[in-house]
């Protein structure tokens, strides 16, 4: 089922059909406060009231024109400006293909650098998401070229990739900051671990490296390493240090407990019109979520 859903996440016909169906749009609301920045900011205020800061990300990937890339950069500038005007504690997270990586590394580097310059000079940390394995080399190159160990700029690494232990060592060696996740894409056996047991073991090992870094060479870094996961059992086995980040709408009952024990915690809010591939990846993580889609058929 996971593999079928991940294949479906890349199907343009299904994307078009899903966007037209009211019941799918209703089901998506479980993971997303809405399609607009206003709705994302309203959700950020609600979470701030519960003591939870946020990461904001506009949904979108595989952008195919320079004009569209400029619109994305402008959008993130307004995310930074509006968040600061409204007194919110935010970070932003961006996908390289939303910033034109498919159009070439130079275009993406220019866009990411304009966006990062605006955010970082306003004191807003920036995260770079990691997409499927065909983009990992280019994404790491982009990160390396923009990395200034004094600036809060982080990159996501995926525990399921065979290459990640070496990438983690290189990023930490360069003074970078990491958000570790299990990995959300469909990858072949020669590229990624396949079973959940193997992925969990890899996550645990790599998370241990992040904890060690935080008590050693990375102690004074401007941005804390992050574990992006909802796997409470796994997270409870990891020594204090990294911040925990979860996605909006997932494992909400665990959030107050995480805050109670004092672990740094943030919720990533995704919003925007281009929700289809992202939403189907969320379904693939937990196929039981399909039940929510089925229930949403009822108005
Ligand atoms: C802050 C953050 C940033 C991320 N950034 C990236 C990225 O840049 N690149 C990338 O490849 N992946 C990214 N991911 C997704 C990640 O790779 C996993 O696919 C996702 O987090 C599910 O894995 P898990 O660690 O929660 O563990 P799982 O073993 O998948 O889940 C553990 C438990 O959490 C709950 N849960 C997990 N997912 C769902 C869901 N969709 N719906 C309902 N319950 C669920 C279930 O109870 C499940 O049993 C990110 C995740 C987070 C939290």
């Amino acid at each position: 089922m996971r593999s079928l859903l991940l294949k479906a996440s890349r199907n343009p016909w299904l994307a078009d059909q899903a966007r037209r169906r009211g019941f799918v749009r209703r089901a998506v609301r479980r993971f997303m406060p809405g399609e607009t920045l206003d709705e994302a900011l309203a959700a950020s205020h609600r979470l701030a009231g519960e003591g939870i800061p946020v990461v904001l990300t506009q949904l979108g990937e595989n952008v195919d024109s320079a004009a569209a890339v400029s619109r994305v950069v402008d959008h993130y500038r307004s995310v930074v400006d509006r968040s600061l005007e409204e007194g919110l504690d935010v970070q932003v997270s961006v996908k390289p293909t939303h910033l034109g990586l498919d159009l070439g590394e130079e275009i993406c580097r220019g866009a990411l650098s304009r966006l990062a310059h605006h955010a970082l000079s306003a004191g807003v940390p920036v995260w770079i998401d990691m997409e499927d394995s065909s983009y990992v080399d280019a994404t790491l190159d982009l990160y390396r070229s923009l990395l200034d160990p004094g600036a809060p700029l982080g990159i996501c690494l995926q525990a399921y990739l065979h290459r990640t232990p070496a990438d983690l060592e290189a990023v930490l060696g360069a003074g970078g900051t990491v958000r570790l996740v299990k990995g959300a894409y469909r990858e072949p056996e020669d590229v990624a671990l396949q079973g959940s047991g193997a992925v969990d073991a890899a996550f645990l090992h790599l998370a241990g490296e992040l904890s060690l870094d935080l008590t050693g060479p990375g102690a004074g870094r401007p941005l804390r390493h992050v574990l992006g996961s909802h796997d409470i059992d796994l997270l409870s086995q990891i020594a204090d240090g990294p911040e925990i980040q979860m996605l909006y709408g997932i494992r909400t009952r665990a959030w107050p407990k995480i805050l109670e024990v004092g672990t740094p915690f943030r919720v990533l809010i995704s919003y925007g019109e281009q929700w289809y591939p992202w939403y189907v990846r969320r379904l693939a993580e937990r196929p039981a979520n399909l039940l929510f889609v089925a229930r949403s058929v009822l108005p």
Side-chain angles (χ1 to χ4, degrees):
M1 179 61 90
R2 178 173 185 268
S3 174
L4 206 65
L5 284 165
L6 289 176
K7 205 168 168 192
S9 74
R10 305 201 72 87
N11 185 312
W13 183 82
L14 285 175
D16 185 51
Q17 293 300 311
R19 277 197 287 265
R20 290 160 189 256
R21 302 284 185 267
F23 74 91
V24 183
R25 300 171 82 94
R26 280 198 292 282
V28 172
R29 282 301 186 119
R30 190 173 164 236
F31 297 119
M32 179 178 102
E35 294 189 351
T36 65
L37 176 58
D38 282 343
E39 288 165 305
L41 292 174
S44 305
H45 281 292
R46 283 196 299 277
L47 289 173
E50 295 167 33
I52 302 176
V54 298
V55 184
L56 294 177
T57 193
Q58 189 196 29
L59 293 168
E61 44 202 86
N62 302 110
V63 158
D64 59 4
S65 78
V69 172
S70 293
R71 283 196 293 276
V72 176
V73 174
D74 289 346
H75 178 81
Y76 275 106
R77 284 189 169 136
S78 65
V79 173
V80 168
D81 296 345
R82 295 257 330 257
S83 302
L84 294 183
E85 275 162 32
E86 297 187 21
L88 287 164
D89 176 352
V90 297
Q91 301 180 350
V92 295
S93 197
V94 292
K95 283 196 178 7
T97 69
H98 200 200
L99 290 172
L101 186 55
D102 291 334
L103 300 170
E105 257 187 65
E106 277 319 303
I107 290 184
C108 185
R109 194 188 323 280
L112 186 57
S113 144
R114 291 197 302 280
L115 186 161
H117 182 261
H118 186 81
L120 298 176
S121 49
V124 170
V126 176
W127 289 97
I128 303 177
D129 288 356
M130 192 59 82
E131 298 172 79
D132 74 56
S133 60
S134 64
Y135 294 111
V136 176
D137 278 326
T139 303
L140 285 166
D141 279 352
L142 283 169
Y143 183 59
R144 263 191 296 269
S145 69
L146 295 172
L147 182 62
D148 161 1
L153 179 68
I155 188 164
C156 178
L157 293 180
Q158 299 150 323
Y160 65 5
L161 296 184
H162 299 310
R163 59 178 289 168
T164 295
D167 290 338
L168 180 73
E169 196 183 333
V171 170
L172 294 183
T177 308
V178 171
R179 176 176 76 212
L180 181 69
V181 300
K182 288 188 186 176
Y185 297 82
R186 183 165 170 251
E187 301 289 358
E189 240 172 274
D190 58 329
V191 170
L193 300 163
Q194 302 294 318
S196 62
V199 177
D200 289 0
F203 186 94
L204 207 52
H205 172 73
L206 297 165
E209 302 284 310
L210 294 181
S211 296
L212 272 180
D213 185 68
L214 280 171
T215 53
R221 66 181 60 255
L223 185 62
R224 196 183 274 262
H225 296 311
V226 162
L227 304 176
S229 176
H230 317 93
D231 192 334
I232 307 286
D233 291 344
L234 204 57
L235 292 171
S236 68
Q237 296 172 53
I238 297 160
D240 289 344
E243 173 171 310
I244 293 176
Q245 292 183 2
M246 294 192 181
L247 303 180
Y248 180 86
I250 300 184
R251 282 273 165 124
T252 51
R253 265 181 285 176
W255 298 357
K257 289 180 205 139
I258 297 171
L259 291 172
E260 211 175 281
V261 295
T263 306
F265 178 62
R266 221 168 249 274
V267 165
L268 188 150
I269 297 180
S270 302
Y271 63 94
E273 292 168 15
Q274 304 301 316
W275 43 260
Y276 173 81
W278 164 87
Y279 177 61
V280 180
R281 288 198 294 275
R282 303 289 79 79
L283 294 180
E285 283 157 4
R286 192 162 177 263
N289 287 336
L290 283 168
L291 279 178
F292 287 92
V293 184
R295 279 186 206 139
S296 311
V297 173
L298 305 169

